[in-house]
Amino acid sequence: MNRTLSVSKTYFEDVKRVQNEIWQDIDVRDKIVIDVGVGESTKKLIELGARVVVVENDPQRIKELNVPIIICDFLNFPFQTRIADIVVFYFTLHEINPNFHASALSIASKIAPQVIIVEPFPHGCPAYEEFAWIWKNAMQSIGRFEEYKPLNYWETILKKVGFKIISRKIVNWKVNIPQEVLEDMVRVTIEDWKKKGVSEIWIDTLQKFLEKKPKMKWSDIAVIVGLFL
């Protein structure tokens, strides 16, 4: 087998393993789940048998999925009563101003008794830490947030709001991202950044990062499940 194809195959097997480990032991079947922000979590929750309702402020992002949608910023969620079983924040909390993390989780506690947080936890891979630093600054250049936090940060806020931590884990990547996968991702990212008006400084910095052909794994992933007391 071609070595590049072999590496890619191993990488995509790792993608499946990571996804399986994230959702392992989390029961969503037949439960009403509020998915904050449409994405790969939406498809996975449907696959796992959840009755998914998406909260999204960009309706164009959900046009290919046949699920109910509440069009709003989650911080302005229109309901303050129990309408669901679980709220899922899958790679979305780091895009919210940290000053409002507690507010977001407080809102979640009013609409569902259980919350699931899945967040990147960058450490241990210098190449990814550099990549995350570039991404954070790119988002700051357009007034957005990309604030990665450690697992204990999310635990502290959950407890402060009134949740009991019922499970916690870190899911690790084992395989480096193949260069061709990273190149495709950076190409799509740069196209998106240009549309959003990201500073050319950070677009150029990302291109130079790619030229170094970094040996990079994706971030570790923190998974925390909280139950509101």
Side-chain angles (χ1 to χ4, degrees):
M1 180 182 288
N2 179 286
R3 184 177 182 278
T4 300
L5 291 176
S6 178
V7 169
S8 295
K9 181 175 182 292
T10 303
Y11 168 75
F12 289 112
E13 288 172 350
D14 208 34
V15 171
K16 292 180 181 179
R17 178 192 61 79
V18 166
Q19 281 295 310
N20 288 337
E21 286 192 22
I22 287 172
W23 296 103
Q24 188 177 23
D25 303 322
I26 295 176
D27 180 19
V28 297
R29 181 167 296 280
D30 295 327
K31 294 182 179 178
I32 300 173
V33 178
I34 302 288
D35 189 20
V36 182
V38 68
E40 64 182 39
S41 59
T42 312
K43 295 178 181 178
K44 187 65 177 180
L45 287 164
I46 293 170
E47 177 188 321
L48 292 172
R51 296 158 61 191
V52 181
V53 178
V54 170
V55 176
E56 176 60 66
N57 57 13
D58 181 3
Q60 294 302 311
R61 296 188 61 196
I62 198 171
K63 57 187 177 183
E64 75 280 7
L65 292 174
N66 185 25
V67 296
I69 176 172
I70 299 172
I71 303 173
C72 71
D73 184 313
F74 188 74
L75 293 172
N76 298 315
F77 196 75
F79 307 107
Q80 297 293 313
T81 56
R82 290 284 168 87
I83 62 169
D85 300 300
I86 304 171
V87 174
V88 172
F89 294 97
Y90 186 97
F91 280 66
T92 50
L93 282 171
H94 64 264
E95 297 178 350
I96 296 175
N97 184 333
N99 292 331
F100 298 115
H101 284 162
S103 297
L105 292 170
S106 180
I107 291 168
S109 73
K110 292 179 174 63
I111 60 178
Q114 187 171 327
V115 65
I116 299 170
I117 296 174
V118 182
E119 275 289 309
F121 181 30
H123 76 291
C125 177
Y128 186 85
E129 289 174 7
E130 181 180 354
F131 174 80
W133 176 79
I134 294 168
W135 200 291
K136 176 179 178 177
N137 282 279
M139 293 300 98
Q140 286 181 342
S141 77
I142 55 172
R144 297 194 181 188
F145 294 90
E146 196 77 10
E147 297 286 344
Y148 301 147
K149 302 292 186 181
L151 183 145
N152 62 359
Y153 170 89
W154 301 114
E155 288 182 314
T156 299
I157 293 182
L158 281 169
K159 290 175 182 176
K160 180 180 178 181
V161 169
F163 283 95
K164 177 184 178 182
I165 309 301
I166 59 174
S167 71
R168 62 193 293 277
K169 61 185 173 184
I170 298 290
V171 179
N172 309 105
W173 289 85
K174 296 180 180 179
V175 179
N176 287 340
I177 306 167
Q179 184 65 21
E180 66 273 18
V181 173
L182 193 56
E183 287 173 356
D184 285 345
M185 188 275 294
V186 168
R187 175 183 54 78
V188 171
T189 296
I190 288 174
E191 289 175 0
D192 183 55
W193 284 5
K194 287 179 176 178
K195 291 177 183 177
K196 290 176 177 175
V198 168
S199 168
E200 287 291 337
I201 293 172
W202 299 110
I203 291 173
D204 183 59
T205 303
L206 183 59
Q207 288 173 326
K208 289 179 178 176
F209 170 79
L210 182 64
E211 289 168 5
K212 294 189 291 186
K213 298 186 182 300
K215 304 281 186 192
M216 186 173 97
K217 292 186 180 75
W218 291 120
S219 166
D220 289 351
I221 300 170
V223 183
I224 311 111
V225 180
L227 185 67
F228 192 71
L229 299 175

